[in-house]
Each structure stands twice: as C-alpha cells, then as structure tokens.
Amino acid sequence: MTAIVYPGTFDPITNGHTDLVKRASRLFDRVIIAVADSKKKQPLFNLDQRQKLCRLVLADLDCVEVRSFSGLVTECVADSGAFAVLRGVRAIADFEYELQMANMNRALQPGFESVFLTPSDHLSYISATLVREIASMGGDISSFVHPAVAEALTQKFAACNHKGEN
C-alpha cells in the first residue's frame, strides 16, 4: 500500500489544496494530510479547527486521513509509514523553495522523496494567505474555498471585528 503525506498549515484549506489531494488520491492508496502545529506562523485557526475543516472538506475521499504533527516533516513521514511528501508548486518561486526543502529533507533522511504536483490552471493563483486577506476585508471567497471554510472564515472575522469594536 503506497502512502504519501501532504504537510502544511492548511490555514485554511483551499480549493487548491483539495485539488492536489484529489489528484494524489488517484496516484496513491492513502493520502495523509499532516496539519502542522506551527505557532511560528501564528495561524488564524487553531490546530483542532484546521483539522476539523480538512476532515469536513475531504470527507468524500475514503483514502484520506487527517492528523496533526509538530517537528520535522521527515519524522512525520516516517511515523506515518510513508516515504514521500506531496508538495504543490504554483510558480517558480514555489519551486525554488520546495527544491531546497526536498534536498534538505533528503539530507536528513536518505531515501526521502518529494512529489511535486502543479495545481489545475483555474486554481493556480489561490493561496491561503490571499484567501485570509480577502475574507478579512469582507470579500467574496466562495470560489476559492469549500462553503464550510467560507463560513468559518466569515464567523472568525466577524468575531474579530466585534472584539475590535468594544
């Protein structure tokens, strides 16, 4: 059984992420979404919320498992029984960074592999950062994320804006 780990903060999970997971599910028996407990990035949603949104968005894919991790990706992959990570590459800048990470991971763990997929053309410009920014200003994000994610963002920013009014 072949498994691949797709690590990231998924803050929030976007249609671009979902596209890569669906495509990876045709290539691998099991796709493990590894949600990073990344306090350094100061995510908008806490770890539990990000995992729940991933599970909800990907519920129709039986071969997908969602878990959390902290620490090195190489350890997460080894713990999961996989041998590779899935990474999305939208542009040359992404590729340069991902190539550096792939080489570092291989230096840390010989035999470690990185599999790169490009997003579908109509999703190539979507990033979680841009989605959060648009949502924070009340913009329409419905074509970039699952409806449950759009609702969670709307609620999160309504709560933040309400706190700011006090």
Side-chain angles (χ1 to χ4, degrees), residues 21-109:
V21 172
K22 287 180 178 180
R23 291 172 46 227
S25 72
R26 294 191 303 262
L27 302 171
F28 297 90
D29 297 317
R30 196 165 53 118
V31 180
I32 301 159
I33 309 305
V35 182
D37 185 16
S38 180
K39 295 192 181 16
K40 183 177 89 172
K41 285 192 172 185
Q42 299 178 326
L44 177 65
F45 292 103
N46 68 37
L47 181 61
D48 185 53
Q49 291 168 324
R50 289 180 283 134
Q51 287 183 91
K52 283 180 182 174
L53 286 172
C54 286
R55 284 187 184 104
L56 182 75
V57 169
L58 302 168
D60 63 325
L61 297 171
D62 292 335
C63 66
V64 172
E65 172 188 335
V66 177
R67 63 169 66 168
S68 65
F69 82 101
S70 60
L72 296 173
V73 168
T74 53
E75 292 171 0
C76 173
V77 171
D79 291 347
S80 70
F83 69 93
V85 290
L86 170 66
R87 300 300 298 164
V89 179
R90 294 174 297 216
I92 295 297
D94 286 348
F95 179 75
E96 290 174 353
Y97 173 77
E98 293 298 342
L99 179 63
Q100 182 180 18
M101 290 301 300
N103 288 333
M104 181 60 76
N105 287 334
R106 205 170 19 256
L108 290 171
Q109 185 173 327

Side-chain angles (χ1 to χ4, degrees), residues 4 6 10 12-28 31 33 54 57-58 60-61 63-64 86-90 116-126 143-146:
I4 193 162
Y6 186 14
F10 301 100
I13 186 168
T14 68
N15 290 346
H17 294 127
T18 303
D19 174 60
L20 292 181
V21 172
K22 287 180 178 180
R23 291 172 46 227
S25 72
R26 294 191 303 262
L27 302 171
F28 297 90
V31 180
I33 309 305
C54 286
V57 169
L58 302 168
D60 63 325
L61 297 171
C63 66
V64 172
L86 170 66
R87 300 300 298 164
V89 179
R90 294 174 297 216
F116 301 107
L117 289 178
T118 58
S120 297
D121 291 342
H122 70 285
L123 302 170
S124 64
Y125 57 90
I126 298 173
S143 61
F144 311 133
V145 295
H146 185 279

